Amino acid sequence: MHRPQPRRSPELAAPSSRDKILEVAELLFARRGYAGVGMQGVADAAGLGKSSLFHHFESKTQLYLAVLERVLGRLEERLGVATTAPADARRRLDRWVDELVDGLAEDPPAARLLLRALFEDDDFDASAWPEGVAAERHLAAMVQGIRALLREGAESGAFRRVSSSHTIQTLIGATVYHFASGEFGEELLGQPLLSAEAVTRRKREVKSLLHHGLAARATNVGEDSR
């Protein structure tokens, strides 16, 4: 007996053309970098005509910045919940690590895209585009959130006073670089970076590093909290 197909809910509906373009472009920019991607290549990969692509994005720069804004916006939403949760600083820091690792693991191209973005923004003026301004705001909010959490933990006695800037650099290396390391990282670990076991282990290792590195000591004389 033939059964009617259930209606697809809005959540399961096919992505819009714009969303499809952003998904394809994220993968291409992560693999090839800003300079290595052309608008025709994006249109072909998305199965759209070039005119359809330019209907949504007037230039490659705008598309690239829209991709970055989308990735950073998702991460900011996750990390913002972690830093403002009603818990002590140590528990919130643990949740922050969990959310960052999960966010990167669930969006495999994101880490490599973000690493490339650290030096590729020299090719254009991001602040000249609304998408670039939004991306920079997301990034600033995430940095401000974790910096404030580290400061709060130090003031409460949960953490020692450390350079928050250096700690953030360390966290970027331990998370973003990790998921961007590709074959080298997998050979080093002896397992796929995105396996459930490896993702769980990465959370545990980063939190262990932080717990030991931030443990309060008897004296913090001479340490820089910036």
Side-chain angles (χ1 to χ4, degrees):
M1 178 178 178
H2 174 72
R3 295 183 179 179
Q5 293 296 317
R7 288 186 179 181
R8 299 178 73 184
S9 67
E11 294 78 12
L12 298 177
S16 67
S17 294
R18 188 178 190 277
D19 287 337
K20 186 174 183 180
I21 291 168
L22 289 171
E23 289 174 6
V24 167
E26 181 184 342
L27 183 59
L28 292 177
F29 283 129
R31 287 177 176 174
R32 304 175 189 171
Y34 176 80
V37 174
M39 293 293 269
Q40 184 64 62
V42 175
D44 291 343
L48 300 170
K50 199 170 181 180
S51 60
S52 297
L53 185 59
F54 279 106
H55 172 73
H56 294 284
F57 304 99
E58 65 181 72
S59 71
K60 182 172 76 168
T61 299
Q62 184 186 24
L63 173 59
Y64 180 76
L65 292 172
V67 169
L68 277 177
E69 191 276 331
R70 187 171 181 251
V71 169
L72 290 170
R74 288 172 173 172
L75 287 176
E76 185 202 348
E77 184 177 0
R78 298 184 75 132
L79 299 181
V81 171
T83 54
T84 58
D88 61 40
R90 179 164 172 162
R91 287 190 178 89
R92 276 183 285 150
L93 184 60
D94 282 354
R95 183 174 177 184
W96 188 93
V97 170
D98 287 341
E99 292 292 347
L100 179 57
V101 170
D102 282 338
L104 294 172
E106 292 167 13
D107 185 6
R112 189 163 292 187
L113 176 78
L114 293 175
L115 275 190
R116 288 184 180 277
L118 292 175
F119 53 86
E120 287 185 331
D121 61 1
D122 293 339
D123 295 338
F124 47 80
D125 180 10
S127 64
W129 298 85
E131 295 85 357
V133 173
E136 289 176 350
R137 285 176 178 167
H138 291 316
L139 181 59
M142 286 188 282
V143 171
Q144 182 181 358
I146 186 61
R147 197 187 293 277
L149 180 55
L150 292 170
R151 185 183 304 117
E152 179 187 333
E155 291 173 353
S156 70
F159 307 150
R160 66 186 180 90
R161 295 191 180 276
V162 296
S163 165
S164 59
S165 299
H166 280 279
T167 302
I168 292 168
Q169 285 279 74
T170 299
L171 285 168
I172 291 171
T175 54
V176 179
Y177 160 74
H178 172 79
F179 286 105
S181 62
E183 291 183 3
F184 173 77
E186 294 192 343
E187 290 177 5
L188 192 62
L189 296 178
Q191 64 182 152
L193 293 173
L194 298 177
S195 69
E197 180 184 355
V199 171
T200 299
R201 180 65 181 269
R202 174 70 351 198
K203 293 178 186 178
R204 187 165 67 246
E205 291 294 334
V206 174
K207 286 186 283 189
S208 177
L209 178 69
L210 288 172
H211 291 169
H212 288 84
L214 292 174
R217 301 187 306 195
T219 179
N220 294 313
V221 176
E223 297 196 20
D224 179 9
S225 62
R226 178 172 171 72

